Amino acid sequence: MLNKEFLSKISDFIVSHKLLRNNAKYLVALSGGADSVALLLSLHSLGYDIEAVHCNFHLRGEESDNDELFCENLCKDKNIPFHRVHFDTTFYARQHKISIEMAARELRYKHFENLRKDINADGICVGHHQNDSVETILLNIIRGTGIHGLKGILPVNGNIIRPLLCVTRDEIEESLRLSGYHFVTDSTNLTDDYTRNKIRLNIIPHAEAINPSFNRNMAKLSQRVGDVLSVFDDFIANSINDITFTVDNNLYIDIEKLQKLKSSEYILFTILRKYSFTSLQVEEIYNNIKAKTGTVYLSESHRLLFDRNYLIIDKIRDFRNNIVVKMPEPGLYVKEKYRVRVEIIDNTSGDEIKFHKDALYADASLVKFPLTLRYPQEGDWFVPLGMKGKKLLSDYFTDNKISLFDREKQLVISDNDDKIIWIVGKRTDERTKISPRTKSIVRISFTH
């Protein structure tokens, strides 16, 4: 059994952070390294119901197979259920065009979650310790991070649980040695091929030479940052609610209100990072916060538009397919989220016609089928109801302060002469209006 002081430290950490329950089952990721062996033995000694899983990535030949055999024998000795899986990691990395390190990560966590569901486990315990958290903080700083990056690794993230964050690598290895337990050493951890290993092998030793308490101090910093962030995050969330609103799935940010807030740039960063904007993009957007209307920034998934007093965020869409629905005759037309009903109404029967504000009413003799529901095109024009001269749609949008994003999504209905008879939901055309001589009426209703 591991020494009592070591086990007590881990037990206290589990209890204080409410990581595990006595009546639940947990899956333990077992690589054979010191961290995972200490994790397995600690949870087993503390009486938790656990099963182990080992991943053989076939990256180190015979060494990988020996690691698997070591894990199997350890679990057999402790009477712990053992699961194993083999991966062709090199092929997966090549197929998905990612690094070997990323491929191994994706493969193991996907398998962990699937196995967790299969054995009905409450969570997946992994052997990250205090040094890992410190390395993560330094990695975040080097890559560029917000305040949250200073928290390091969290004890719980979804179904992933980390009971060893309270102990250092040295404490783990010393406890195993004192208790007579062996572990395997992954030879790749002794090289500085990967960024994290460069931090572990090159940067941290220099920091510890300056201050031997470096790791402990960084861990304390992480804890203090976490405590402060619990208050700070509430402030940020309330601030975001005060300066944003949503219309038609577009997020609007009030620029004037944003500028009045403390930590306004960080608040903008917090909003925009959810839409894949990088920290460099956020900095540029913030520095150009008074950019002219029409200025657009693109992330991988979204667009940000400067529109008068607002920043508007919209998901990138493909509007190249201009035509949405062709309507050759009266009837009901449904496509994806659009629903269009076209009817012909007799205007000579003397029956009262109920006009609905959200529908188009036009003289049937002035409308030529087939009709087309489509997006606007450059050069489109119409004659607004009540006017005599034609007006470009672009000028109509500008006069009515309709943003670029809303212009792109605005639908129009045109007839066989490509005459726009309705800017859907907004304005009808003078040339097809109903008059006392109208014998039949086209009524078009639109919903989505």
Side-chain angles (χ1 to χ4, degrees):
M1 180 181 288
L2 297 174
N3 65 77
K4 291 183 179 179
E5 183 180 351
F6 184 81
L7 287 175
S8 178
K9 197 171 184 179
I10 294 171
S11 178
D12 290 345
F13 185 76
I14 290 171
V15 172
S16 64
H17 288 79
K18 300 178 181 178
L19 301 185
L20 306 176
R21 294 184 293 112
N22 291 325
N23 59 347
K25 180 191 295 183
Y26 296 95
L27 187 65
V28 176
L30 180 64
S31 68
D35 315 334
S36 65
V37 169
L39 174 65
L40 183 84
L41 295 174
S42 297
L43 298 186
H44 179 66
S45 297
L46 292 171
Y48 290 103
D49 183 6
I50 58 173
E51 296 187 16
V53 55
H54 175 80
C55 300
N56 189 334
F57 296 105
H58 290 282
L59 295 174
R60 294 173 286 117
E62 187 178 349
E63 188 179 341
S64 293
D65 295 334
N66 289 337
D67 290 353
E68 178 184 334
L69 182 61
F70 171 84
C71 293
E72 181 181 9
N73 289 333
L74 176 63
C75 289
K76 189 179 296 183
D77 180 61
K78 296 297 179 181
N79 197 29
I80 298 172
F82 178 70
H83 307 269
R84 79 190 84 200
V85 63
H86 290 238
F87 294 119
D88 188 341
T89 314
T90 303
F91 173 77
Y92 183 91
R94 187 168 56 246
Q95 184 182 43
H96 292 83
K97 298 179 180 179
I98 56 178
S99 68
I100 292 291
E101 188 179 29
M102 183 58 70
R105 176 182 171 80
E106 288 186 5
L107 286 168
R108 68 174 174 265
Y109 278 108
K110 285 179 182 177
H111 180 71
F112 290 167
E113 179 58 20
N114 289 334
L115 181 58
R116 182 193 70 81
K117 293 176 181 177
D118 288 344
I119 67 172
N120 197 29
D122 271 32
I124 303 157
C125 297
V126 297
H128 291 128
H129 48 71
Q130 194 175 98
N131 298 66
D132 292 319
S133 187
V134 171
E135 290 164 12
T136 297
I137 294 171
L138 293 176
L139 187 61
N140 290 341
I141 292 172
I142 290 169
R143 289 174 173 172
T145 183
I147 298 174
H148 288 80
L150 300 179
K151 287 199 300 184
I153 300 176
L154 299 176
V156 178
N157 184 10
N159 291 318
I160 303 299
I161 305 167
R162 302 179 174 96
L164 298 187
L165 286 179
C166 58
V167 292
T168 66
R169 181 182 293 110
D170 288 343
E171 288 178 299
I172 289 171
E173 294 184 1
E174 179 67 12
S175 180
L176 290 173
R177 278 194 293 268
L178 290 174
S179 304
Y181 287 107
H182 299 286
F183 55 90
V184 299
T185 301
D186 182 345
S187 61
T188 59
N189 285 333
L190 301 180
T191 67
D192 62 357
D193 293 341
Y194 301 128
T195 303
R196 183 177 286 275
N197 282 355
K198 289 178 180 178
I199 292 172
R200 178 183 305 156
L201 300 175
N202 300 329
I203 296 177
I204 291 180
H206 285 292
E208 289 178 327
I210 298 171
N211 183 355
S213 299
F214 172 75
N215 268 292
R216 186 168 64 251
N217 291 342
M218 287 291 287
K220 286 181 179 178
L221 169 66
S222 173
Q223 182 178 351
R224 293 183 186 120
V225 169
D227 293 340
V228 171
L229 279 175
S230 63
V231 178
F232 183 69
D233 284 344
D234 287 340
F235 164 75
I236 295 295
N238 291 333
S239 297
I240 290 173
N241 287 336
D242 288 341
I243 67 171
T244 62
F245 59 91
T246 302
V247 178
D248 294 335
N249 294 321
N250 290 351
L251 182 73
Y252 284 70
I253 304 172
D254 189 307
I255 295 174
E256 184 178 352
K257 288 183 178 180
L258 172 67
Q259 290 180 295
K260 291 179 179 179
L261 292 174
K262 295 179 180 179
S263 304
S264 55
E265 183 173 359
Y266 188 80
I267 290 170
L268 184 63
F269 170 76
T270 303
I271 296 172
L272 297 187
R273 68 178 175 178
K274 297 178 181 178
Y275 301 97
S276 305
F277 288 92
T278 66
S279 56
L280 288 176
Q281 284 181 305
V282 175
E283 183 178 351
E284 185 177 346
I285 291 166
Y286 185 79
N287 290 336
N288 293 299
I289 200 69
K290 294 185 179 179
K292 66 179 181 179
T293 293
T295 301
V296 174
Y297 285 85
L298 299 176
S299 74
E300 292 182 355
S301 58
H302 288 77
R303 302 176 298 170
L304 180 145
L305 169 71
F306 281 81
D307 186 67
R308 297 173 182 83
N309 300 320
Y310 298 98
L311 302 177
I312 307 175
I313 303 170
D314 178 52
K315 191 172 183 179
I316 293 175
R317 295 176 174 85
D318 186 0
F319 292 98
R320 288 173 296 182
N321 183 13
N322 189 263
I323 296 175
V324 178
V325 181
K326 278 280 190 182
M327 298 170 284
E329 59 188 18
L332 175 65
Y333 298 87
V334 179
K335 183 177 180 181
E336 297 175 353
K337 60 183 178 181
Y338 303 111
R339 179 186 179 93
V340 187
R341 184 180 296 276
V342 182
E343 304 169 274
I344 302 295
I345 303 172
D346 182 8
N347 195 39
T348 62
S349 64
D351 296 334
E352 181 182 359
I353 298 175
K354 293 183 179 180
F355 290 89
H356 300 281
K357 63 178 182 178
D358 296 326
L360 164 72
Y361 296 85
D363 189 320
S365 66
L366 303 175
V367 175
K368 296 184 179 179
F369 284 88
L371 305 180
T372 303
L373 177 70
R374 62 175 176 82
Y375 293 104
Q377 303 177 49
E378 187 175 350
D380 272 345
W381 60 272
F382 76 127
V383 179
L385 184 65
M387 297 179 60
K388 293 183 179 180
K390 68 179 184 181
K391 192 179 191 71
L392 287 171
L393 258 62
S394 58
D395 291 339
Y396 170 80
F397 292 146
T398 299
D399 291 346
N400 288 274
K401 298 182 179 180
I402 297 173
S403 74
L404 173 64
F405 292 170
D406 288 335
R407 297 181 193 195
E408 291 178 339
K409 292 182 288 188
Q410 177 62 55
L411 291 165
V412 299
I413 292 180
S414 59
D415 71 358
N416 193 47
D417 292 333
D418 206 26
K419 176 172 61 185
I420 293 177
I421 62 175
W422 192 24
I423 301 176
V424 176
K426 289 185 170 61
R427 196 73 179 265
T428 58
D429 192 277
E430 171 73 17
R431 294 166 294 173
T432 59
K433 72 177 182 180
I434 298 170
S435 71
R437 298 185 299 276
T438 298
K439 295 182 179 180
S440 58
I441 296 173
V442 175
R443 178 168 63 192
I444 304 176
S445 55
F446 172 87
T447 54
H448 72 85

